[in-house]
Amino acid sequence: MIFIDQLKFDANGLIPAIIQEQKSGRVLMMAWMNRASLERTLATGKTHFWSRSRQKFWMKGETSGHTQSVKDIAFDCDGDTLLIQVEQIGAACHEGYQSCFFRSIQDGGASVKSTEPRLLQPEQIYGKK
Amino acid sequence: MIFIDQLKFDANGLIPAIIQEQKSGRVLMMAWMNRASLERTLATGKTHFWSRSRQKFWMKGETSGHTQSVKDIAFDCDGDTLLIQVEQIGAACHEGYQSCFFRSIQDGGASVKSTEPRLLQPEQIYGKK
């Protein structure tokens, strides 16, 4: 695993992974990987992350079915960020949008606008809570 | 500044900012902002970051002239990552590539390939050292 040894994981053993939909170029989300979740991503071809809040592994889509098939893994000049091209099934965002970045600012930050339609309601993805 | 108050800066007061070239969709780099550098970005229309290694502000392109004009600022569902669309002058990467993500893995991580041409040699950007 030559390339993994070129990466710089942070003090918590994590590296940020930017997830981009290869077909559209849309940036879908950013999440964190540790070495083991990256290895699992490589081994399975599906994105796996490390949840800092829950302190556990998760495969994207393990509950929702909205998995990501890995098409390309790039890393930056400093070796401290990953850029992963994927084919996304369903909605990347747990709030039901294609991308987690569904809001942009306007008026210099004085207000916020939604920039894409909601594809699904969260309860359609995860069931009613 | 309503939107800034929706953001979650980390324990060091930082938030990651993904920089994407609006025209091409190419993800150029990822860097860190604190509240003041984000405010300066909003005020000037040019990206400003916080250097964790140098513990100082920097405007992208302050030395190289390779500045980034901000076209859109989006933030994610959790409010802990920014996605900024820019118009990039010159090369985003300090190593002379359009994007810092100029290397991708192949053969499941066993080797690495360069995915874009080098536009400039670093000494053409920063002078000989």
Side-chain angles (χ1 to χ4, degrees), chain B residues 5-110:
Chain B
D5 294 330
Q6 294 182 44
L7 299 179
K8 289 179 202 149
F9 294 89
D10 72 10
N12 297 311
L14 300 174
I15 189 167
I18 302 164
I19 308 299
Q20 185 174 29
E21 189 175 58
Q22 189 178 48
K23 197 171 166 184
S24 65
R26 181 74 169 134
V27 175
L28 299 175
M29 55 184 277
M30 202 276 277
W32 295 82
M33 291 186 169
N34 59 12
R35 187 178 179 114
S37 66
L38 177 54
E39 287 172 343
R40 208 175 297 186
T41 298
L42 287 166
T44 63
K46 304 279 185 192
T47 53
H48 288 71
F49 301 101
W50 177 256
S51 169
R52 295 175 300 168
S53 56
R54 292 178 289 151
Q55 289 285 304
K56 67 185 283 275
F57 280 111
W58 58 290
M59 185 184 85
K60 177 67 187 167
E62 64 189 4
T63 306
S64 64
H66 295 171
T67 54
Q68 295 170 338
S69 296
V70 174
K71 299 299 178 185
D72 186 79
I73 299 179
F75 58 106
D76 73 346
C77 48
D78 295 327
D80 62 6
T81 308
L82 299 171
L83 173 62
I84 301 182
Q85 306 288 334
V86 302
E87 181 182 346
Q88 172 73 54
I89 304 294
C93 182
H94 74 290
E95 294 195 21
Y97 295 86
Q98 180 201 8
S99 164
C100 294
F101 298 95
F102 59 86
R103 291 170 297 182
S104 288
I105 70 168
Q106 53 187 9
D107 303 327

Side-chain angles (χ1 to χ4, degrees), chain A residues 1-4 6 10 16 18 20 25-27 29-30 32 42 52 72-83 85 93-95 99-105 108-113 115, chain B residues 1-4 6 10 16 18 20 25-27 29-30 32 42 52 72-83 85 93-95 99-105 108-113 115:
Chain A
M1 285 299 176
I2 296 169
F3 110 94
I4 286 191
Q6 295 184 43
D10 71 10
I18 302 165
Q20 185 173 30
R26 181 73 170 134
V27 175
M29 55 184 277
M30 202 277 276
W32 295 81
L42 288 167
R52 296 176 301 167
D72 187 79
I73 299 178
F75 57 106
D76 74 347
C77 49
D78 295 327
D80 62 5
T81 308
L82 299 171
L83 174 61
Q85 306 288 335
C93 181
H94 73 291
E95 294 194 22
S99 165
C100 294
F101 297 96
F102 60 86
R103 291 170 297 182
S104 288
I105 70 167
S111 62
V112 168
K113 64 180 172 183
T115 57
Chain B
M1 285 299 175
I2 296 169
F3 110 93
I4 286 191
Q6 294 182 44
D10 72 10
I18 302 164
Q20 185 174 29
R26 181 74 169 134
V27 175
M29 55 184 277
M30 202 276 277
W32 295 82
L42 287 166
R52 295 175 300 168
D72 186 79
I73 299 179
F75 58 106
D76 73 346
C77 48
D78 295 327
D80 62 6
T81 308
L82 299 171
L83 173 62
Q85 306 288 334
C93 182
H94 74 290
E95 294 195 21
S99 164
C100 294
F101 298 95
F102 59 86
R103 291 170 297 182
S104 288
I105 70 168
S111 63
V112 167
K113 63 180 173 185
T115 57

Side-chain angles (χ1 to χ4, degrees), chain A residues 27-59:
Chain A
V27 175
L28 300 176
M29 55 184 277
M30 202 277 276
W32 295 81
M33 290 186 171
N34 59 13
R35 187 180 179 112
S37 65
L38 177 54
E39 288 172 342
R40 208 173 297 186
T41 298
L42 288 167
T44 63
K46 305 280 184 191
T47 53
H48 288 72
F49 302 100
W50 177 256
S51 169
R52 296 176 301 167
S53 56
R54 292 178 290 150
Q55 289 286 302
K56 67 186 283 277
F57 281 110
W58 57 290
M59 184 185 86

